[in-house]
Amino acid sequence: MALTNNQTVLDWIDEMAAMTQPEHIVWIDGSDAQMEELRAQACATGELEKLNQEKLPGCYLHRTAANDVARVEGRTFICCRKQEDAGPTNNWMAPEEMYARLRRLYTGAMKGRTMYVIPYSMGVVGSPFAKYGIELTDSIYVVLNMAIMTRVGRDAARRLEDDFVKGLHATADNDPENRYIVHFPEDNTIMSVNSGYGGNVLLGKKCFALRIASHLGRQQGWMAEHMLILGVENPQGEVRYLAAAFPSACGKTNLAMLIPPEHYRKAGWKVWCVGDDIAWLRIGEDGRLWAMNPEYGFFGVAPGTNVKSNPNALATTRQDTIFTNVVHNLDDNTVWWEGLDKNPPEHAVDWQGRPWNGKTSSEKGAHPNSRFTAPAKNCPCISPEFENPQGVPISAIVFGGRRARTAPLVYQSRDWAHGVFVGSIMASETTAAATGAVGVVRRDPMAMLPFIGYNVGDYWQHWLDMGKTVANPPLIFNVNWFRKDKDGNFIWPGFGDNMRVLDWILRRAKGKAEGQKTVLGVSPTYDELDKTGIDYSEEQFNANMALNPSEWKAELESQTELFDKVGKKLPAELEEQRQILIKSFS
Ligand code: SAT
Ligand code: MN
């Protein structure tokens, strides 16, 4: 039974069904009974494996095809009428040409299969800032993941209007040569075919909440960003919120769920997680920037997650979680991944379903981009504001990448426009979250390179314009937890100790830390950084903060390439900022 009587919605579903020709059509109402039934079906076909229900209640394991383990940026398209509107950082094809190509791939793709109709909301249902969509899919795995990652079912269906976001996913032959992740921002439409992996198929996430939403945000005066949102509560009980942008697999989930060092905790400091991946930012009536997390769960990287690095994430995954491409421990029917503990199972199956002995195998058991899909409400430090339809006010924006060299631990930009420049020149070493080489430095402006749904030059202009409209803009910072010393060791301890940097950032936001001027902006003095309980000498600090002119010259050269590509859409203000920086290093 259809869960809406909106004719536009129903007509579109009919049209997609006529093309894909499923045997059955099932509406997802989001009820426990329906989810349980789908899990049972998926277990019967082997799509899911039910894990030890005493140790991991409600948890399941799934493996994707070996050639289908990460986002495929080379096959991700923005199809708008004018190529210029997609810009130099997106793949583009004319919409009619792409529709025709996809039509061939979708025709009959669901023959003999069931098409699930998933109505969902990005954001708290009924919030003035929520947006609604439908994903059609022939994959139960996608349904179950969407039900964790977004708010699915009747309440979302009731809100569907003519402007709903249309999403069609068909597994088809899972053929990597015909894999496409396509966005038609002018039609509010997303089409995904020949993949079964996370960001390629959970269409509410990167496709809707970033690529389509960034396009909508530009038109409507708000922003969709690849940012975690966290709240820092001080001993007086006041909570201040930060939004922080890092590329995929650079520790957003860890930072969002940070546990402060012991002496902070004893003094009464707490960190609350509002979101770990996506923030929708808008200007509030009070003239501040407000952020809300449109998601409902976490799609986190498993390897490296452990009781030390992120106990909150680990606790979050102990129930009602779907694990993808991790090790299956056959001894007790649980899961394992590299970096979970020092005790890999001997009697196990690796991410490709092959017998695996963690004690003797030289190969990794879990895929480096293996994931957990877990409900946000499982998280021990989930913010009491997580379900607030208004979101939270933001005191500081933080940009960061994974840089072994060049980028200092932390600095504050001089003002909003300079902060936008700082975001625009971001770079990071690539990770396993996308297919391709790992560890290569690439420009990744605002950590949005693969997610900006329109021309990057227009996107930067939108950032600059937002700063002119917001009366009390948050301060903008840059951080790098990953700088290494000459011997290749990380200089900064990272993880929970990142609290010390957040502390300085928030003191700056309150005007309580003087800092020192550098050519990049304002940095902490050694004394301003809390070092209680860690060994972090002034020498290490200096190495961590050093600005090496020859490295920065090379940096600016590589950065120039992106600015040159943007061409006439490059905002003049950013070019001015660039000239200032070039001068300061020459
Ligand atoms: O694959 S996802 O896009 O969902 C995760 C990520 O790359 O950040
Ligand atoms: Mn992400």
Side-chain angles (χ1 to χ4, degrees):
M1 249 267 296
L3 296 182
T4 176
N5 40 34
N6 179 302
Q7 204 52 45
T8 310
V9 176
L10 297 174
D11 288 348
W12 173 72
I13 297 172
D14 282 348
E15 198 191 322
M16 296 301 107
M19 176 167 71
T20 55
Q21 302 163 30
E23 190 165 325
H24 305 285
I25 297 181
V26 172
W27 277 79
I28 297 301
D29 62 20
S31 65
D32 290 344
Q34 188 185 40
M35 292 299 125
E36 199 46 42
E37 162 71 26
L38 289 173
R39 284 183 209 111
Q41 271 185 43
C43 287
T45 59
E47 189 176 347
L48 288 184
E49 286 177 76
K50 195 172 194 162
L51 295 165
N52 184 326
Q53 296 298 296
E54 265 158 40
K55 292 189 173 170
L56 297 169
C59 292
Y60 294 80
L61 172 67
H62 173 80
R63 280 187 286 272
T64 62
N67 67 29
D68 191 22
V69 291
R71 283 183 289 102
V72 280
E73 295 178 2
R75 310 203 62 94
T76 300
F77 286 76
I78 301 294
C79 297
C80 38
R81 280 187 299 275
K82 290 199 272 173
Q83 178 164 10
E84 192 190 34
D85 291 339
T89 56
N90 284 308
N91 299 310
W92 176 87
M93 199 185 279
E96 39 319 335
E97 197 185 335
M98 183 56 95
Y99 276 127
R101 181 177 293 213
L102 292 174
R103 174 163 284 279
R104 285 195 292 278
L105 297 172
Y106 281 117
T107 298
M110 294 193 190
K111 265 192 191 148
R113 299 173 67 86
T114 299
M115 172 193 270
Y116 298 97
V117 181
I118 317 171
Y120 66 97
S121 172
M122 297 314 291
V124 178
V125 178
S127 156
F129 314 108
K131 304 245 171 251
Y132 307 93
I134 285 201
E135 176 163 357
L136 304 175
T137 179
D138 56 0
S139 157
I140 296 181
Y141 171 76
V142 168
V143 174
L144 296 173
N145 274 274
M146 283 293 284
I148 297 173
M149 294 307 298
T150 74
R151 295 154 169 100
V152 308
R154 286 179 191 278
D155 291 347
R158 258 184 235 123
R159 305 276 175 170
L160 291 166
E161 291 183 27
D162 289 359
D163 65 352
F164 77 106
V165 172
K166 310 172 182 83
L168 173 65
H169 164 248
T171 314
D173 306 314
N174 212 358
D175 169 11
E177 299 302 317
N178 278 307
R179 189 167 289 156
Y180 285 97
I181 319 300
V182 185
H183 308 72
F184 301 92
E186 288 151 352
D187 304 338
N188 268 345
T189 297
I190 306 158
M191 293 185 136
S192 162
V193 67
N194 278 306
S195 174
Y197 168 78
N200 298 333
V201 297
L202 308 179
L203 302 185
K205 197 172 181 51
K206 299 302 178 12
C207 300
F208 179 166
L210 288 178
R211 298 193 190 97
I212 297 287
S214 62
H215 171 86
L216 292 173
R218 179 182 177 224
Q219 291 172 331
Q220 300 166 357
W222 53 281
M223 305 198 284
E225 296 297 328
H226 194 201
M227 290 177 176
L228 66 91
I229 309 164
L230 65 76
V232 178
E233 182 174 335
N234 69 15
Q236 292 75 48
E238 299 156 351
V239 188
R240 289 205 161 64
Y241 297 91
L242 293 109
F246 297 80
S248 301
C250 286
K252 278 200 300 299
T253 308
N254 290 345
L255 185 61
M257 299 180 188
L258 174 152
I259 295 186
E262 195 184 344
H263 68 287
Y264 276 95
R265 273 181 283 141
K266 283 205 172 134
W269 293 84
K270 290 193 188 100
V271 169
W272 299 106
C273 172
V274 183
D276 82 327
D277 195 40
I278 296 176
W280 285 358
L281 304 166
R282 58 161 181 107
I283 299 170
E285 276 163 22
D286 60 358
R288 290 188 292 176
L289 201 61
W290 287 65
M292 71 101 140
N293 171 12
E295 300 192 282
Y296 200 42
F298 307 117
F299 187 62
V301 178
T305 306
N306 60 50
V307 279
K308 270 208 168 142
S309 66
N310 194 341
N312 284 321
L314 199 61
T316 305
T317 65
R318 295 300 91 176
Q319 57 181 327
D320 301 325
T321 293
I322 300 173
F323 297 94
T324 302
N325 294 338
V326 298
V327 173
H328 190 188
N329 179 348
L330 297 178
D331 284 330
D332 62 353
N333 190 23
T334 58
V335 288
W336 191 87
W337 49 77
E338 278 68 24
L340 174 65
D341 55 39
K342 297 210 157 64
N343 190 24
E346 288 172 67
H347 186 215
V349 169
D350 75 359
W351 68 273
Q352 296 190 65
R354 303 173 302 195
W356 186 78
N357 181 334
K359 297 275 190 301
T360 58
S361 178
S362 56
E363 279 182 50
K364 288 202 157 86
H367 187 275
N369 193 36
S370 54
R371 299 270 171 167
F372 54 79
T373 320
K377 55 176 176 292
N378 281 3
C379 180
C381 63
I382 194 73
S383 165
E385 304 303 316
F386 174 68
E387 298 269 16
N388 187 333
Q390 296 295 320
V392 295
I394 295 297
S395 299
I397 286 177
V398 180
F399 293 122
R402 183 186 279 276
R403 300 297 302 271
R405 303 146 70 91
T406 320
L409 176 65
V410 55
Y411 65 95
Q412 182 194 334
S413 62
R414 289 184 289 271
D415 53 33
W416 181 273
H418 179 235
V420 175
F421 173 71
V422 168
S424 78
I425 65 168
M426 260 173 79
S428 191
E429 291 156 25
T430 50
T431 68
T435 52
V438 168
V440 184
V441 175
R442 72 164 180 183
R443 311 319 304 182
D444 192 349
M446 283 79 172
M448 282 286 281
L449 178 74
F451 309 122
I452 304 167
Y454 57 103
N455 188 303
V456 59
D458 292 330
Y459 168 78
W460 287 337
Q461 189 59 54
H462 183 47
W463 261 89
L464 292 164
D465 294 345
M466 286 290 291
K468 294 184 184 111
T469 329
V470 60
N472 297 306
L475 304 180
I476 301 180
F477 296 80
N478 193 269
V479 301
N480 173 27
W481 316 133
F482 301 95
R483 194 160 184 176
K484 291 184 175 167
D485 63 17
K486 317 188 271 309
D487 304 323
N489 302 313
F490 289 114
I491 306 175
W492 178 247
F495 299 106
D497 289 313
N498 292 337
M499 175 70 198
R500 301 166 197 270
V501 175
L502 301 187
D503 176 9
W504 181 77
I505 287 174
L506 289 173
R507 271 186 280 141
R508 281 294 297 169
K510 288 208 301 194
K512 292 243 169 88
E514 189 75 14
Q516 54 185 339
K517 280 205 173 117
T518 77
V519 295
L520 295 181
V522 177
S523 289
T525 61
Y526 179 64
D527 290 340
E528 281 171 355
L529 216 51
D530 182 293
K531 296 170 293 287
T532 315
I534 51 168
D535 281 332
Y536 184 69
S537 66
E538 189 149 9
E539 211 184 327
Q540 284 170 304
F541 173 76
N542 290 337
N544 217 339
M545 300 301 296
L547 304 177
N548 176 326
S550 67
E551 277 177 9
W552 271 90
K553 273 185 200 145
E555 178 76 8
L556 281 161
E557 249 163 57
S558 116
Q559 182 262 324
T560 300
E561 258 173 60
L562 176 59
F563 271 30
D564 285 350
K565 266 209 273 182
V566 179
K568 69 180 197 320
K569 290 252 187 199
L570 179 70
E573 280 174 87
L574 295 190
E575 183 53 27
E576 280 161 29
Q577 297 284 352
R578 193 169 76 96
Q579 292 305 333
I580 297 174
L581 192 56
I582 288 174
K583 271 201 207 95
S584 50
F585 280 110
S586 55

